[in-house]
């Protein structure tokens, strides 16, 4: 026993050491494992967390950079309120019931509240910006006093500040009710109240909506175009034309009062200038250049004015002369104007006619089928119908207009004109063309439009919600066009170095007709009795309308400006909507924000302010045609407020086609009516103006 005891006493410290060494080994092992985990596994996990955290920080920074103004933040608040209310409504519809409603009444509802943490954060962000807005109001008020601006303006400022503060406080109260609600039902009521309040005012910046399906122009539906009239009475009723001829026959081209009273001949109206047949200086000069000869006048118009398949008076005589193109009505107006400028009575003649289908196909643009020709006429609004024989369209019936002139027809058939004796028909619009095919460059040298579009999208900052684009890569666009131009030039240099423009693009040339005498009839069959008139009726004229309204909760309010005129009166003219200070006080306030000139009387454009307190400045809208103000707004509006506008065309037989837009009283809006293309003289004038402007900018002649 003693021996064993002795051994026990001797071995105890050793066993303790062994146990301690085991614990130490376990500790070392644990430490090694921890080091392994920390060195291998945890870094990837920690890095992932850090990456996510940095992403959140970057996203938050981007959000704050794009939402530095109170209206932007309030828009997010409104959207969140809409989402929360919809979610609450859905939950109550599914989870709520009579029992829960009873429990809610005594504060014992079992439904959890909808999370509003993000809404609470947005509310805090809005409150910070609200305090900044109040400071800006105070700074503006101080500036108005220092500049000693009129009391009327200072009072306007005080009222605007008070109104803003009251509206924001109302929103704060309703927001607090939603954030502090103790039941889902209370949240629903508070969300509904807050939503109703925020929906009562607009937070988005005004911008023009773009709907490609709702524009005041486009390709008309040929199915909407009526079939041609089958009788003179129907033609008269549709186009407001006189059904029966009224006139006095004359023995001279110079009309005097003592010549009136004989039936069948010209009237005073057959020599008068009209809205469509304007006797401008250019028209008179062209008539003189053609020696006032009716044969030369007719043949010049027929051989030089290209036909456009559309219906109704669109651009009139003067613009058709400039443009070198026009439909049957515009061509007739030019012919009438030139004849009247030569002191030859002329009038419009109307009827439903029948033309061979193959000639119509050539006439409208060298289309491949009679149906395509009929559709093209219908798209232009020309009443027409294909006549089928043997299962094919052989002829096309259509409503048409041409000219009759009071010509010395016997015995020279107009070759020697002195005293008129007969009405002679002249159709200068119906003609045939010679066509040549071009080189199909779009197939030989294709342009990568999709690639350019992707480059623009990738390098631009696009805000679809607010409708704006910044940072468009102008240089990339110029490089793409320059590269394509170089490809075209290289292709042409290799394939056809001596090619003309016509050979490259293709040609369409009128088959000219030169005769010494006038024909006795028309080159097609007349189906109805003809109708005649000295002037086109208003129902045959295209019209343009522009209307400006106040904004009433996103809809048209009271009318401010209304313009409606035939397009013949506007062809080639500049149209614009602009705004000016409404009163001397408004002008003084606006001028107070402009920088003072230096000692040389010059103003540095960089000193012009980026923003203005629009609520202080009332503006009056003006609509100008050319350089003339033709309409002034009936009511003044604050700079930067929202307005509604509507504009579009009225087309004979089809009525109005308009689109709505948003306008802002601070903008200058230029309008251009692309009626049937731009004339060469207009393009040259534009080129000259742009070149002059470029030279002034380069010379810093501001």
């Amino acid at each position: 026993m003693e021996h064993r005891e002795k051994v026990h006493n001797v071995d105890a410290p050793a066993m303790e050491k062994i146990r301690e060494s085991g614990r130490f080994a376990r500790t070392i092992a644990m430490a090694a494992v921890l080091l392994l985990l920390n060195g291998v596994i945890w870094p990837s996990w920690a890095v992932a967390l850090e990456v996510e955290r940095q992403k959140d920080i970057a996203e938050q920074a981007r959000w704050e950079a794009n939402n530095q103004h109170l209206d932007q933040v309030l828009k997010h608040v409104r959207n969140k309120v809409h989402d929360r209310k919809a979610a609450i409504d859905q939950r109550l519809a599914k989870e709520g019931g009579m029992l829960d409603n009873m429990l809610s009444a005594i504060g014992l509802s079992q439904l959890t509240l909808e999370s509003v943490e993000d809404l609470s954060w947005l509310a805090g962000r809005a409150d910070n910006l609200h305090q900044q807005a109040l400071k800006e109001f105070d700074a503006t008020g101080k500036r108005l006093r220092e500049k000693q601006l009129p009391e009327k303006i200072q009072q306007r400022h005080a009222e605007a500040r008070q109104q803003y503060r009251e509206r924001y406080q109302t929103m704060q109260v309703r927001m607090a009710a939603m954030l502090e609600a103790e039941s889902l039902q209370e949240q629903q009521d508070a969300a509904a109240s807050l939503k109703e309040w925020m929906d009562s005012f607009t937070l988005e910046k005004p911008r023009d909506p773009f709907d490609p399906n709702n524009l005041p122009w486009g390709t008309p539906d040929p199915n909407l175009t009526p079939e041609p009239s089958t009788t003179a009475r129907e033609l008269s009723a549709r186009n407001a034309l006189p059904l029966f001829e009224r006139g006095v026959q004359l023995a001279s081209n110079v009309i005097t009062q003592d010549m009136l009273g004989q039936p069948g001949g010209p009237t005073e109206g057959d020599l008068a200038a009209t809205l469509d047949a304007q006797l401008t200086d250019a028209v008179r000069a062209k008539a003189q250049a053609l020696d006032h000869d009716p044969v030369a006048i007719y043949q010049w118009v027929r051989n030089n004015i290209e036909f456009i398949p559309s219906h109704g008076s669109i651009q009139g005589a003067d613009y058709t002369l400039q443009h070198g193109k026009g439909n049957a009505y515009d061509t007739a107006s030019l012919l009438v104007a030139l004849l009247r400028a030569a002191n030859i009575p002329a009038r419009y003649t109307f009827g439903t006619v029948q033309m061979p289908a193959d000639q119509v196909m050539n006439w409208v643009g060298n289309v491949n089928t009679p149906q395509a020709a009929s559709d093209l006429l219908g798209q232009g609004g020309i009443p027409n119908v294909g006549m089928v024989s043997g299962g094919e369209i052989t002829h096309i019936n259509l409503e048409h207009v041409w000219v009759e002139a009071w010509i010395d027809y016997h015995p020279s058939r107009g070759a020697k004109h002195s005293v008129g004796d007969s009405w002679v028909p002249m159709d200068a619009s119906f003609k045939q063309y010679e066509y040549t095919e071009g080189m199909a460059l779009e197939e030989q040298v294709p342009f990568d439009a999709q690639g350019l579009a992707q480059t623009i999208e990738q390098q631009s900052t696009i805000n679809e919600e607010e409708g704006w684009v910044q940072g468009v890569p102008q240089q990339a666009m110029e490089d793409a066009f320059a590269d394509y131009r170089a490809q075209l030039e290289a292709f042409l240099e290799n394939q056809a170095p001596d090619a003309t423009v016509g050979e490259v693009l293709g040609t369409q040339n009128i088959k000219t007709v030169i005769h010494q005498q006038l024909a006795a009839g028309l080159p097609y069959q007349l189906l109805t009795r003809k109708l005649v008139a000295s002037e086109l009726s208003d129902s045959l004229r295209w019209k343009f309308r522009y209307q400006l309204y106040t904004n009433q909760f996103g809809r048209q309010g009271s009318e401010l400006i209304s313009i409606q005129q035939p397009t013949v009166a506007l062809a080639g003219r500049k149209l614009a909507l602009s705004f000016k200070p409404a009163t001397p006080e408004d002008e003084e306030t606006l001028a107070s924000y402009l920088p003072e000139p230096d000692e040389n009387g010059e103003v540095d454009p960089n000193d012009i302010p980026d923003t203005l307190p629009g609520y202080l400045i009332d503006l009056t809208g003006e609509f100008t045609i050319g350089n003339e103000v033709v309409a002034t707004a009936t009511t003044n509006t604050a700079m930067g407020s929202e307005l509604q506008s509507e504009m579009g065309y009225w087309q004979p037989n089809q009525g109005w086609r308009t689109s709505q837009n948003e306008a802002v009283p601070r903008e200058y809006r230029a309008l251009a009516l692309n009626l049937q293309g731009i004339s060469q003289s207009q393009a040259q004038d534009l080129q000259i103006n742009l070149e002059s402007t470029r030279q002034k900018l380069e010379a810093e002649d501001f």
Side-chain angles (χ1 to χ4, degrees):
M1 292 294 293
E2 291 179 358
H3 178 73
R4 289 195 295 269
E5 182 68 25
K6 185 177 180 180
V7 172
H8 177 74
N9 291 336
V10 172
D11 291 345
M15 294 300 293
E16 183 64 30
K17 289 179 180 179
I18 291 173
R19 285 193 292 271
E20 289 177 357
S21 64
R23 285 195 297 269
F24 179 73
R26 287 193 298 272
T27 302
I28 294 299
M30 182 67 73
V33 172
L34 291 174
L35 288 173
L36 178 64
L37 291 171
N38 188 59
V40 177
I41 301 175
W42 284 357
S44 61
W45 172 70
V47 168
L49 285 179
E50 181 63 19
V51 168
E52 289 300 319
R53 191 176 75 86
Q54 292 299 327
K55 285 183 179 179
D56 291 341
I57 292 174
E59 181 62 30
Q60 181 70 17
R62 280 194 296 269
W63 190 94
E64 292 183 359
N66 292 329
N67 295 273
Q68 298 181 3
H69 302 288
L70 182 58
D71 63 311
Q72 295 173 321
V73 176
L74 290 180
K75 185 165 61 175
H76 288 288
V77 171
R78 184 185 62 187
N79 294 339
K80 290 291 183 183
V81 171
H82 279 232
D83 294 342
R84 291 297 181 273
K85 183 179 182 303
I88 294 171
D89 292 344
Q90 186 176 17
R91 285 185 57 194
L92 285 174
K94 289 183 177 181
E95 305 172 24
M98 183 177 298
L99 177 60
D100 189 77
N101 290 337
M102 294 174 59
L103 293 174
S104 297
I106 57 176
L108 298 176
S109 174
Q110 300 300 305
L111 298 180
T112 58
L113 294 171
E114 187 73 17
S115 175
V116 290
E117 291 182 3
D118 52 355
L119 189 58
S120 177
W121 184 88
L122 283 171
R125 174 78 174 168
D127 285 343
N128 291 336
L129 294 173
H130 167 63
Q131 295 303 321
Q132 293 181 20
L134 291 177
K135 292 179 181 179
E136 291 175 4
F137 267 113
D138 293 339
T140 299
K142 180 180 178 181
R143 185 185 182 283
L144 297 179
R145 292 189 294 272
E146 291 175 349
K147 291 285 186 177
Q148 298 182 350
L149 290 176
E151 181 64 27
K152 174 182 178 180
I153 302 300
Q154 297 192 41
Q155 181 63 29
R156 188 181 293 170
H157 167 76
E159 293 173 354
R161 185 185 189 281
Q162 181 65 22
Q163 183 183 34
Y164 162 76
R165 189 166 186 174
E166 290 175 355
R167 289 174 68 84
Y168 192 86
Q169 287 175 345
T170 300
M171 189 201 71
Q172 283 180 311
V173 171
R174 301 191 184 200
M175 175 68 74
M178 184 172 179
L179 298 179
E180 299 169 4
E182 297 181 354
S183 70
L184 195 60
Q185 183 64 54
E186 287 184 13
Q187 271 192 330
Q188 184 189 43
D189 295 339
S193 175
L194 182 57
K195 175 182 178 298
E196 179 185 13
W197 174 250
M198 299 200 73
D199 286 346
S200 66
F201 48 89
T202 303
L203 297 172
E204 289 81 2
K205 292 182 179 179
R207 64 184 179 94
D208 284 347
F210 176 74
D211 181 0
N213 297 314
N214 182 27
L215 296 172
W217 57 84
T219 302
D221 185 352
N223 295 322
L224 299 178
T225 300
E227 293 189 356
S229 303
T230 58
T231 66
R233 187 172 297 278
E234 182 181 353
L235 184 68
S236 171
R238 173 181 290 176
N239 300 301
L241 297 170
L243 183 58
F244 298 104
E245 182 176 346
R246 297 174 185 175
V248 290
Q249 187 167 345
L250 305 177
S252 170
N253 288 329
V254 180
I255 298 177
T256 60
Q257 288 296 323
D258 60 323
M259 297 178 182
L260 303 180
Q262 301 181 33
T267 67
E268 289 181 328
D270 296 326
L271 278 175
T274 67
L275 178 62
D276 310 278
Q278 309 101 331
L279 299 184
T280 62
D281 292 342
V283 169
R284 294 185 184 278
K286 175 56 70 174
Q288 184 174 6
L290 295 170
D291 296 326
H292 296 159
D293 180 358
V295 177
I297 289 173
Y298 161 70
Q299 291 188 155
W300 184 89
V301 176
R302 187 226 174 269
N303 293 336
N304 289 276
I305 303 301
E306 295 182 18
F307 174 70
I308 298 176
S310 58
H311 180 68
S313 179
I314 297 179
Q315 61 191 29
D318 186 69
Y319 194 82
T320 302
L321 178 62
Q322 296 180 43
H323 189 24
K325 299 179 181 180
N327 64 22
Y329 286 86
D330 298 320
T331 304
S333 292
L334 175 58
L335 182 54
V336 165
L338 289 171
L339 289 167
R340 291 179 181 179
N343 203 35
I344 300 171
R347 64 189 185 184
Y348 298 92
T349 312
F350 313 85
T352 296
V353 302
Q354 184 176 93
M355 299 179 178
D358 59 337
Q359 294 184 24
V360 178
M361 291 162 58
N362 175 283
W363 184 39
V364 300
N366 200 31
V367 297
N368 295 323
T369 66
Q371 186 60 55
S374 178
D375 288 345
L376 195 57
L377 292 171
Q379 288 177 354
I382 301 174
N384 79 96
V385 63
M387 307 305 295
V388 178
S389 176
E392 296 182 355
I393 298 177
T394 59
H395 293 78
I396 294 178
N397 297 353
L398 66 147
E399 289 185 12
H400 193 49
V401 60
W402 59 97
V403 173
E404 287 185 343
W406 188 250
I407 300 297
D408 186 351
Y409 192 73
H410 301 288
S412 67
R413 296 174 56 186
K416 293 183 179 180
H417 178 74
S418 57
V419 179
D421 55 38
S422 304
W423 285 114
V424 178
M426 303 176 177
D427 189 346
S429 66
F430 182 67
K431 61 201 71 176
Q432 297 292 280
Y433 295 84
E434 292 178 338
Y435 297 92
T436 61
E437 296 293 332
M439 299 178 65
L441 294 176
E442 67 278 5
E443 299 176 3
Q444 301 292 334
V445 190
F447 177 68
D448 186 11
Q450 183 61 35
L452 178 58
Q454 291 177 351
T455 299
I456 295 173
E457 185 176 0
Q458 292 169 359
Q459 299 186 23
S460 303
T461 302
I462 303 173
N463 189 320
E464 294 185 1
E465 185 177 1
E466 296 187 4
W468 52 262
V469 178
Q470 291 180 344
V472 176
Q474 187 70 28
Q475 189 60 49
M477 295 171 61
E478 293 179 2
D479 291 344
F481 295 139
D483 180 64
Y484 183 64
R485 178 177 179 177
Q487 293 180 46
L488 286 174
E489 290 176 346
F491 173 81
L492 294 174
E493 184 66 27
N494 291 329
Q495 300 295 324
D498 299 324
T500 64
V501 174
E503 290 171 339
V504 173
L505 302 179
T507 61
Q508 172 184 311
N509 296 314
I510 299 172
K511 291 182 179 180
T512 59
V513 173
I514 303 296
H515 294 300
Q516 300 301 317
Q517 298 174 323
L518 295 171
L522 297 169
Y524 40 73
Q525 182 181 355
L526 179 62
L527 300 180
T528 62
R529 177 171 59 82
K530 69 179 184 182
L531 302 180
V532 297
S534 300
E535 182 176 5
L536 294 176
S537 65
D538 193 57
S539 62
L540 285 171
R541 296 186 178 117
W542 279 61
K543 302 175 185 64
F544 172 77
R545 181 171 70 193
Y546 186 92
Q547 294 171 295
L548 186 67
Y549 302 88
T550 59
N551 190 317
Q552 192 73 20
F553 302 110
R555 301 192 177 190
Q556 294 177 354
S558 58
E559 186 178 88
L560 300 176
I561 288 176
S562 180
I563 296 294
Q564 179 175 311
Q565 290 199 20
T567 56
V568 293
L570 305 175
R573 306 184 68 185
K574 296 182 292 185
L575 314 180
L577 173 70
S578 60
F579 296 88
K580 68 176 184 180
T583 65
E585 292 88 350
D586 295 301
E587 185 171 358
E588 181 180 354
T589 304
L590 180 60
S592 73
Y593 280 88
L594 299 179
E596 295 291 336
D598 59 19
E599 61 275 7
N600 297 322
E602 297 182 352
V603 172
D604 186 351
N606 295 320
D607 294 336
I608 297 176
D610 295 329
T611 62
L612 292 169
Y615 66 94
L616 290 179
I617 304 169
D618 281 353
L619 301 177
T620 299
E622 293 182 331
F623 196 90
T624 57
I625 299 177
N627 296 320
E628 179 185 0
V629 177
V630 296
T632 302
T634 57
T635 305
N636 301 328
T637 49
M639 175 185 288
S641 58
E642 300 173 22
L643 302 175
Q644 294 282 331
S645 66
E646 182 174 355
M647 63 178 173
Y649 294 114
W650 185 90
Q651 181 179 353
N653 295 328
Q654 298 195 17
W656 285 103
R657 184 175 180 179
T658 62
S659 67
Q660 295 184 2
N661 301 272
E662 295 178 354
V664 181
R666 65 168 180 253
E667 300 174 334
Y668 181 95
R669 293 203 166 197
L671 307 177
L673 305 187
N674 184 11
L675 301 176
Q676 296 184 112
I678 185 171
S679 70
Q680 183 177 1
S681 62
Q682 265 195 307
Q684 291 172 343
D685 290 343
L686 180 60
Q687 182 182 22
I688 293 172
N689 289 337
L690 290 174
E691 179 63 24
S692 174
T693 302
R694 184 183 66 83
Q695 292 174 358
K696 290 182 179 180
L697 291 174
E698 290 177 348
E700 298 185 355
D701 182 12
F702 301 121

